[in-house]
Amino acid sequence: MGDYIISCCSTADVTDAYLKEKNIEYICFHYYLDDKAYKDDLYQSMSPQDFYQAMLDGAMTKTSQVNAEEFTQYFRKFLEQGKDVIHLTLSSGISGVINSARIAAEELSEEFPDRKIVVFDSLTASAGYGLFMDKLASLRDEGYSFDELVKWTEENIQNQNTWFFTTDLTFFIRGGRISKVSGWFGTALNICPLLNINDEGKLIPRQKCRGKKMVKKACLTAIKERIENGADYDQNIFITHSVCMEDAREMADMLEEAFPKMKEKVRIFDIGPTIGAHTGPGTVAIGFWGGKKEN
């Protein structure tokens, strides 16, 4: 296992049990429902159904990133155990959390000069972020040293692809990511946007599709055009969703049929409250390994 730990933010949107199974450490973001604060603890203290129902019932949501002091306390416990740390943060195109992590790492480097903390910008979120951590855990378990894993991450950070689609524009309109006029027309026309995370880690709209069937088909086409080794893809694929398991499961079935040589069956997780506070219900995200992300 080596003398180091791998670590992420809770916005990797997998489960606490999964991270424990894979021996991956994590630090929690924070979210608010009507000004009541909660820890994004991967739905250990609130179920996804209750969270999204609160949104549908009109609760106002906001989120806050991990601050530098929290990172300092979090990293210190590993350094005191004699462990080095590789931490991937939520994409800088979505959050400024990487700045907090780097401030903490720099401060602790003076206190622990013999230990190493490397902080990476994952340039991804949710399904893609979880998939990235899954790969790092596999490489660590194969015997990669700290330096080898750092090098692999540097060389492959742009090869992690994440695509999203949503079947409900309500919270994109509420959050100002879609104007009310565009949102009204989009809802009336049953528009489902297809988006991905670009090479700067930003969420970019790519297509407007009429209905669920068309957006799933467009998403599969986009993935086929970009996935590593085409139909011979033999890595994992992760899907996350916000209380729309039927859509997530249908997408997983389509992917498993298209890529029969996958390492494992598609893993499906819930989109966590930090990301979900902005997307609302009805969003599906897919993470896979492919060609370098486009702008």
Side-chain angles (χ1 to χ4, degrees):
M1 301 293 287
D3 58 350
Y4 64 92
I5 66 105
I6 58 174
S7 169
C8 62
C9 303
S10 57
T11 43
D13 286 355
V14 290
T15 63
D16 176 77
Y18 166 83
L19 291 173
K20 285 177 178 173
E21 174 193 340
K22 295 291 185 177
N23 197 25
I24 299 170
E25 302 289 342
Y26 70 97
I27 189 168
C28 298
F29 268 61
H30 312 278
Y31 67 96
Y32 300 81
L33 291 173
D34 286 335
D35 295 325
K36 184 176 180 180
Y38 297 88
K39 182 183 288 187
D40 180 357
D41 59 2
L42 306 177
Y43 291 123
Q44 294 183 85
S45 57
M46 178 182 294
S47 73
Q49 292 75 21
D50 287 345
F51 172 74
Y52 289 108
Q53 189 60 52
M55 293 184 72
L56 290 169
D57 290 342
M60 298 305 296
T61 59
K62 62 180 180 179
T63 60
S64 66
Q65 66 190 36
V66 187
N67 63 41
E69 183 178 351
E70 289 174 301
F71 268 115
T72 299
Q73 294 174 0
Y74 172 73
F75 287 148
R76 178 178 278 113
K77 65 185 178 183
F78 305 122
L79 303 178
E80 289 176 342
Q81 295 167 11
K83 301 285 188 179
D84 296 324
V85 179
I86 298 173
H87 182 83
L88 269 69
T89 69
L90 176 64
S91 172
S92 62
I94 297 173
S95 167
V97 70
I98 191 169
N99 298 318
S100 299
R102 284 177 171 167
I103 288 169
E106 185 174 347
E107 290 179 357
L108 288 167
S109 67
E110 299 177 7
E111 186 177 343
F112 297 90
D114 296 328
R115 297 266 60 86
K116 293 181 282 188
I117 304 176
V118 177
V119 175
F120 282 104
D121 180 352
S122 74
L123 296 175
T124 188
S126 201
Y129 193 179
L131 182 68
F132 210 127
M133 298 310 300
D134 175 78
K135 182 66 175 181
L136 294 186
S138 294
L139 294 175
R140 176 206 58 204
D141 293 347
E142 288 173 17
Y144 273 53
S145 68
F146 179 92
D147 290 338
E148 287 172 333
L149 199 59
V150 166
K151 182 180 179 183
W152 187 93
T153 305
E154 290 171 341
E155 292 174 348
N156 289 275
I157 210 128
Q158 288 287 359
N159 295 324
Q160 197 297 302
N161 286 241
T162 307
W163 284 70
F164 294 77
F165 64 83
T166 185
T167 60
D168 186 339
L169 299 177
T170 304
F171 293 92
F172 286 80
I173 298 167
R174 181 188 289 186
R177 286 171 292 280
I178 296 176
S179 72
K180 289 184 179 180
V181 172
S182 295
W184 186 88
F185 280 109
T187 300
L189 295 172
N190 195 24
I191 296 297
C192 298
L194 177 64
L195 314 92
N196 78 336
I197 297 181
N198 74 355
D199 59 346
E200 296 179 345
K202 297 176 180 178
L203 195 58
I204 306 295
R206 298 298 184 184
Q207 278 183 253
K208 295 177 182 178
C209 303
R210 292 283 295 272
K212 290 184 181 183
K213 184 176 180 180
M214 292 303 296
V215 77
K216 290 170 189 172
K217 184 178 179 180
C219 187
L220 181 61
T221 298
I223 293 170
K224 284 180 175 179
E225 290 172 351
R226 294 163 177 83
I227 201 163
E228 181 181 281
N229 297 327
D232 291 327
Y233 181 77
D234 60 358
Q235 300 296 312
N236 287 335
I237 293 178
F238 277 18
I239 288 179
T240 55
H241 70 99
S242 50
V243 289
C244 52
M245 175 57 90
E246 185 176 338
D247 293 322
R249 183 66 261 170
E250 184 176 348
M251 198 70 226
D253 291 343
M254 293 165 66
L255 291 164
E256 287 170 3
E257 181 179 356
F259 309 110
K261 297 182 181 180
M262 275 193 296
K263 187 176 179 181
E264 300 174 356
K265 292 290 187 180
V266 174
R267 282 197 180 237
I268 301 176
F269 299 96
D270 294 293
I271 291 178
T274 300
I275 303 296
H278 302 284
T279 68
T283 296
V284 175
I286 301 100
F288 61 95
W289 294 100
K292 292 191 182 299
K293 294 188 280 257
E294 61 251 62
N295 189 259

